[in-house]
């Protein structure tokens, strides 16, 4: 028994990281790493080494290349066939970590995207990330108004009734959406180029009627078609967001609530949040809340942003 205990102790000592923790592998889903790449790119103004060492991004690039499939796409997870959801995200991540658009992997990836309509037909979460990166328009995504948090808790669409991971991803999403945050893509040659690369030949970014693509999605990603009632509700939200509103007093009230909620989530989880998707979004929200859109360097010095970076392995 003592020998068995000593073997177990030696085994776990071998697995322990240099900083004393035992890390958990969460490498199966392919929609996690791109979120961190995009959030780091946005908040570092394109200089990823301000967030993690170059060696870490080289490892990320190797991971992205290793998991690209023969058809040029990426699956939703390690054993999944290619989907537009993760093909769009991982293609963008590969470009942001340094691959040029003429790299064979990128050419192959663009071929997959083009065959399925380009990023106008990727999945909603993908569209969100692309919109915040400035390579997709916010009018082309289904609205996520923070005002829903101000509804009575018994109301069916109150976010408090969502599954926890859904709610805690909706939380930073609705904040960034309500702030109309979008990275200044035209100031950056990589993101300027992505505005062309992500859409089929002949489709001009400035001429896209974005509202028509709010619900478009490639067949391979359309596991559960959006119900007609939800489409009607989202169209009503779109009218509120882009035509008659948003009403300033209500928007400000709901944003204050969302900011407090995000701060509470940061503090109770010691800046890990409930999961890796929300974590990546919270990196951006912390930076935006600290004034990142107008003072990027100052925002990177904020307490919340630095606390988030400290919790990235």
């Amino acid at each position: 028994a003592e020998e068995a205990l000593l073997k177990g102790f030696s085994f776990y000592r071998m697995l322990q990281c240099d900083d004393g923790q035992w890390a958990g592998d969460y490498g199966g889903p392919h929609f996690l790493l791109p979120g961190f790449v995009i959030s780091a790119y946005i908040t570092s103004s394109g200089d990823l080494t301000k967030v993690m060492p170059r060696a870490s991004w080289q490892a990320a690039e190797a991971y992205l290349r290793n998991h690209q499939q023969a058809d040029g796409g990426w699956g939703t997870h390690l054993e999944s066939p290619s989907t537009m959801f993760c093909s769009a995200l991982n293609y963008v991540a590969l470009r942001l970590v340094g691959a040029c658009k003429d790299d064979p992997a990128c050419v192959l990836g663009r071929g997959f995207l083009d065959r399925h309509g380009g990023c106008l037909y990727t999945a909603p979460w993908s569209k969100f990330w692309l919109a915040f990166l400035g390579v997709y328009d916010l009018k082309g995504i289904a609205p996520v108004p923070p005002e829903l948090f101000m509804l009575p808790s018994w109301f069916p669409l109150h976010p408090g009734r969502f599954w926890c991971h859904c709610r805690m991803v909706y939380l930073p999403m609705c904040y960034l959406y309500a702030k109309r945050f979008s990275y200044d893509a035209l100031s950056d040659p990589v993101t300027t180029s992505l505005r062309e690369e992500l859409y089929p030949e002949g489709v001009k970014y400035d001429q896209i009627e974005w509202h028509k693509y709010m619900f478009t999605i490639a067949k391979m990603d359309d596991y559960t078609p959006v119900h007609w009632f939800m489409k009607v509700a989202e169209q009503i939200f779109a009218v509120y967001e882009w035509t008659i509103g948003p009403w300033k007093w209500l928007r400000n009230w709901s944003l204050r609530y969302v900011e407090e909620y995000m701060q509470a989530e940061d503090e109770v989880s010691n800046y890990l949040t409930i999961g890796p998707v929300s974590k990546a979004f919270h990196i951006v929200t912390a930076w935006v809340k600290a004034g990142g859109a107008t003072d990027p360097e100052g925002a990177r010095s904020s307490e919340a942003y630095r606390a988030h970076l400290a919790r990235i392995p």
Side-chain angles (χ1 to χ4, degrees):
E2 182 179 353
E3 184 180 356
L5 287 171
L6 289 172
K7 285 182 177 179
F9 177 80
S10 297
F11 176 75
Y12 281 104
R13 184 171 60 182
M14 177 181 67
L15 297 178
Q16 188 176 23
C17 298
D18 292 339
D19 61 358
Q21 64 155 324
W22 280 267
D25 181 19
Y26 203 173
H30 283 156
F31 51 86
L32 306 180
L33 176 60
F36 279 99
V37 173
I38 294 172
S39 66
Y41 195 90
I42 290 171
T43 61
S44 68
S45 303
D47 184 359
L48 292 173
T49 57
K50 291 180 179 179
V51 177
M52 290 196 298
R54 180 58 191 158
S56 296
W57 299 115
Q58 289 172 334
E61 181 176 354
Y63 180 89
L64 293 166
R65 291 181 182 277
N66 288 341
H67 291 291
Q68 186 177 26
Q69 308 201 89
D71 61 5
W74 284 263
T76 303
H77 53 81
L78 289 173
E79 298 181 351
S80 164
S82 295
T83 61
M84 281 294 284
F85 172 32
C86 284
S87 294
L89 285 177
N90 283 271
Y91 175 87
V92 168
L94 185 59
R95 288 283 283 114
L96 297 183
V97 296
C100 68
K101 70 175 184 178
D102 296 322
D103 185 290
C106 292
V107 173
L108 192 62
R110 273 201 312 279
F112 179 87
L113 296 176
D114 288 347
R115 289 194 299 276
H116 298 285
C119 286
L120 294 171
Y121 291 86
T122 190
W125 276 16
S126 182
K127 288 179 178 180
F128 272 104
W129 275 120
L130 298 182
F132 299 141
L133 184 61
V135 297
Y136 189 94
D137 196 279
L138 285 168
K139 290 183 179 179
I141 60 179
V144 283
E147 286 84 345
L148 290 185
F149 278 104
M150 312 318 294
L151 292 169
S153 60
W154 53 261
F155 195 79
L157 288 181
H158 190 288
R161 303 177 69 87
F162 298 172
W163 178 48
C164 61
H165 283 278
C166 181
R167 178 175 66 256
M168 300 313 288
V169 170
Y170 180 94
L171 180 68
M173 274 185 176
C174 76
Y175 177 80
L176 295 172
Y177 179 86
K179 285 288 191 178
R180 300 292 190 262
F181 173 75
S182 184
Y183 179 68
D184 185 7
L186 293 179
S187 68
D188 184 316
V190 176
T191 47
T192 298
S193 182
L194 282 172
R195 284 190 171 195
E196 295 182 9
E197 297 169 39
L198 298 178
Y199 306 97
E201 187 176 355
V203 175
K204 302 295 184 182
Y205 186 88
D206 293 334
Q207 297 175 6
I208 296 172
E209 296 181 77
W210 295 99
H211 66 280
K212 293 183 178 180
Y213 297 95
M214 195 182 300
F215 302 109
T216 52
I217 188 169
K219 186 176 181 180
M220 69 184 71
D221 289 35
D222 198 15
Y223 293 102
T224 305
V226 179
H227 193 275
W228 66 265
F229 179 81
M230 191 64 195
K231 288 185 178 181
V232 171
E234 289 287 12
Q235 293 291 358
I236 293 172
F237 292 153
V239 171
Y240 169 73
E241 289 288 346
W242 302 103
T243 305
I244 66 172
W247 299 325
K248 188 174 181 179
W249 67 271
L250 185 56
R251 178 56 47 97
N252 290 341
W253 181 35
S254 57
L255 278 175
R256 284 195 299 272
Y257 177 88
V258 166
E259 286 179 351
E260 292 173 4
Y261 197 166
M262 289 191 297
Q263 183 178 349
E265 170 70 0
D266 286 343
E267 292 176 355
V268 77
S269 66
N270 195 16
Y271 293 88
L272 276 180
T273 80
I274 196 172
V277 177
S278 58
K279 166 68 174 179
F281 275 120
H282 274 238
I283 292 172
V284 182
T285 59
W287 181 79
V288 170
K289 185 182 176 184
T294 55
D295 182 13
E297 287 295 336
R300 281 192 285 273
S301 300
S302 69
E303 182 179 352
Y305 181 74
R306 287 187 289 107
H308 270 293
L309 293 195
R311 295 292 274 163
I312 298 176

